[in-house]
Amino acid sequence: MKSAKKVLILGVNGFIGSSLAWRMLTDTNWDVTGMDVSSGKISHCLECERFHFFKKDALADNDWIESAVRDCDVVLPLVAIATPALYVKDPLRVYRLDYESNIRVVEWCAKYGKRIVFPSTSEVYGMCPDAAFDEEQSSLVLGPIAKERWIYSCIKQMLDRVIWAYGKHEGLKFTLFRPFNFIGPKQDDINSPKEGASRVLTQFIHNIINGKPLKLVDGGAQERSFTFIDDGIDCLMKIIENKDGCADGQIFNIGNPEMKFSIRGLAELLISLISKYPGYADAAGKTVVENVSSREYYGEGYQDVPRRVPSIRRAREILGWNPKTTLEQAVRLTLDYHLLHKDYELERSFGR
Ligand code: UDP
């Protein structure tokens, strides 16, 4: 029998890492090693004997990371700051963590002949005017240097290009994936979102239930395609499985074009859904929605993405993947988790 895949997840306590580790432990016989600075989102994984957790820092524990890369089959370097407010407020912190720590991992994967499944980002397309962003055809359109928002996009693009070059010239086995606004339970802490530093869904839920106004940046006409975390994880599992090498050397958008919503539309949907949860109707009914300029909300260095919709033709055709969840279902599951304390993930059990 083929021995079980050994997967290394750097940043396992993040939104994607924690959901992915749990899925691997419940649905496969893979051996999962996870590393992070904290473990609050993976308490249920810690109970599984095929899960090995190490509390380490991506910027400090280089020796440990290098030897973990050497000991596994596949590496997912998920350590990164991925919140727009921080790109503007602390771009050097983003550079050090997102670029410097990850470029080393890429080099170790090349050195030790390990497969890397790397999180690129939908941000790389920037302000691309295409109706649906295509992995092979779309241009990557960033703003001026003084608009610090683009540092994250630029870093990820550089890493994509270095990985691509290692693949082409030195035989690195890789897959790049680009998540489009993943949402779901455990994305951020809704009890203490830092104003402007959490993703929009978390910020809006927090504000509605705490009687604070919803702030629509520049009017909220900008559009995003939201993707339920479980659909995203389904796609990632197919990539990691890599049947007949189908994902090797490929780039995949992971998103749900059917879940395209304006931020204003998301605000309206949330107010209406939250009003149906026991004890929250009053707060939802009283929610004030106000406009705020992006300069006021994020600062000078911000520029928005007016429209972000993926083409998922490649994931459909090559991986046979399709997202299944509607925005309403995704938001309901997220609200059930936060407002009713229902964790649908725990209903899954090991070894299915
Ligand atoms: N946004 C907003 N109000 C908020 C938080 C965010 O209008 O309180 C907007 C933000 O300007 C952006 C969109 O919502 O256009 C999505 O923001 P998020 O931080 O979730 O991620 P992004 O898609 O920009 O990476």
Side-chain angles (χ1 to χ4, degrees):
M1 210 176 85
K2 237 173 92 183
S3 63
K5 218 187 262 299
K6 285 168 80 175
V7 182
L8 172 64
I9 305 179
L10 303 170
V12 72
N13 193 47
F15 180 42
I16 296 180
S18 57
S19 307
L20 185 62
W22 180 243
R23 179 72 70 85
M24 288 177 184
L25 296 172
T26 52
D27 284 10
T28 73
N29 66 345
W30 301 346
D31 191 81
V32 183
T33 296
M35 161 259 162
D36 211 306
V37 284
S38 50
S39 58
K41 291 182 185 168
I42 49 170
S43 48
H44 42 307
C45 297
L46 294 171
E47 288 161 24
C48 180
E49 60 184 27
R50 276 184 292 114
F51 184 65
H52 319 286
F53 176 69
F54 296 84
K55 193 169 178 205
K56 301 281 175 192
D57 179 341
L59 286 172
D61 295 308
N62 289 329
D63 293 347
W64 183 88
I65 298 173
E66 181 173 2
S67 85
V69 168
R70 209 171 33 216
D71 289 346
C72 72
D73 302 317
V74 188
V75 184
L76 286 113
L78 305 182
V79 172
I81 292 167
T83 36
L86 280 171
Y87 313 157
V88 178
K89 281 200 192 87
D90 202 347
L92 286 178
R93 197 172 138 215
V94 175
Y95 167 73
R96 289 186 190 114
L97 188 69
D98 294 16
Y99 188 77
E100 292 192 331
S101 79
N102 281 311
I103 193 71
R104 287 193 287 265
V105 177
V106 173
E107 284 160 1
W108 289 322
C109 288
K111 179 173 171 189
Y112 297 114
K114 304 299 175 176
R115 177 169 178 234
I116 184 167
V117 175
F118 186 77
S120 174
T121 169
S122 51
E123 278 262 327
V124 291
Y125 298 104
M127 298 174 291
C128 174
D130 296 353
F133 301 161
D134 181 279
E135 300 92 331
E136 293 176 320
Q137 304 295 330
S138 287
S139 294
L140 313 179
V141 184
L142 307 192
I145 299 300
K147 296 292 179 193
E148 291 166 308
R149 188 247 160 82
W150 301 113
I151 195 162
Y152 172 74
S153 172
C154 186
I155 286 167
K156 287 285 188 176
Q157 184 185 150
M158 182 66 183
L159 287 162
D160 284 4
R161 292 187 188 279
V162 172
I163 291 170
W164 183 274
Y166 265 118
K168 193 160 169 202
H169 299 280
E170 298 193 7
L172 174 68
K173 269 182 92 175
F174 74 91
T175 308
L176 304 177
F177 65 94
R178 296 185 172 155
F180 279 67
N181 289 78
F182 282 13
I183 54 170
K186 299 186 202 169
Q187 181 171 21
D188 307 294
D189 182 359
I190 69 149
N191 295 315
S192 56
K194 293 169 209 82
E195 176 83 344
S198 293
R199 264 66 60 98
V200 63
L201 182 68
T202 320
Q203 190 70 58
F204 281 2
I205 298 173
H206 170 86
N207 288 18
I208 294 171
I209 66 177
N210 290 290
K212 300 177 186 170
L214 297 189
K215 295 185 178 168
L216 297 180
V217 173
D218 292 336
Q222 59 277 45
E223 292 174 326
R224 296 291 185 272
S225 291
F226 295 94
T227 310
F228 188 53
I229 182 74
D230 276 20
D231 285 335
I233 298 295
D234 285 346
C235 188
L236 262 177
M237 290 298 285
K238 285 177 183 283
I239 289 173
I240 298 164
E241 213 172 294
N242 198 20
K243 197 159 181 281
D244 303 322
C246 66
D248 285 337
Q250 304 281 359
I251 309 177
F252 295 105
N253 289 337
I254 308 183
N256 190 343
E258 308 299 320
M259 262 166 65
K260 177 167 75 74
F261 251 71
S262 70
I263 300 304
R264 178 177 288 279
L266 178 72
E268 287 161 2
L269 176 74
L270 265 178
I271 293 171
S272 123
L273 289 180
I274 292 181
S275 70
K276 297 186 186 112
Y277 280 76
Y280 294 101
D282 201 36
K286 289 190 184 139
T287 303
V288 174
V289 178
E290 57 189 42
N291 290 333
V292 59
S293 74
S294 55
R295 179 189 290 201
E296 203 183 315
Y297 193 79
Y298 288 108
E300 278 292 332
Y302 187 76
Q303 214 170 6
D304 216 315
V305 172
R307 198 165 175 281
R308 180 189 286 158
V309 181
S311 154
I312 52 169
R313 181 187 54 81
R314 291 171 54 74
R316 281 195 172 119
E317 289 176 8
I318 300 171
L319 303 169
W321 169 79
N322 258 310
K324 304 184 205 99
T325 317
T326 64
L327 185 63
E328 187 163 332
Q329 288 167 333
V331 172
R332 270 183 204 285
L333 285 166
T334 309
L335 292 175
D336 284 355
Y337 175 79
H338 290 299
L339 305 185
L340 303 178
H341 310 291
K342 270 201 222 164
D343 190 349
Y344 74 105
E345 274 193 359
L346 288 176
E347 286 160 21
R348 304 161 67 91
S349 58
F350 291 129
R352 279 195 328 161

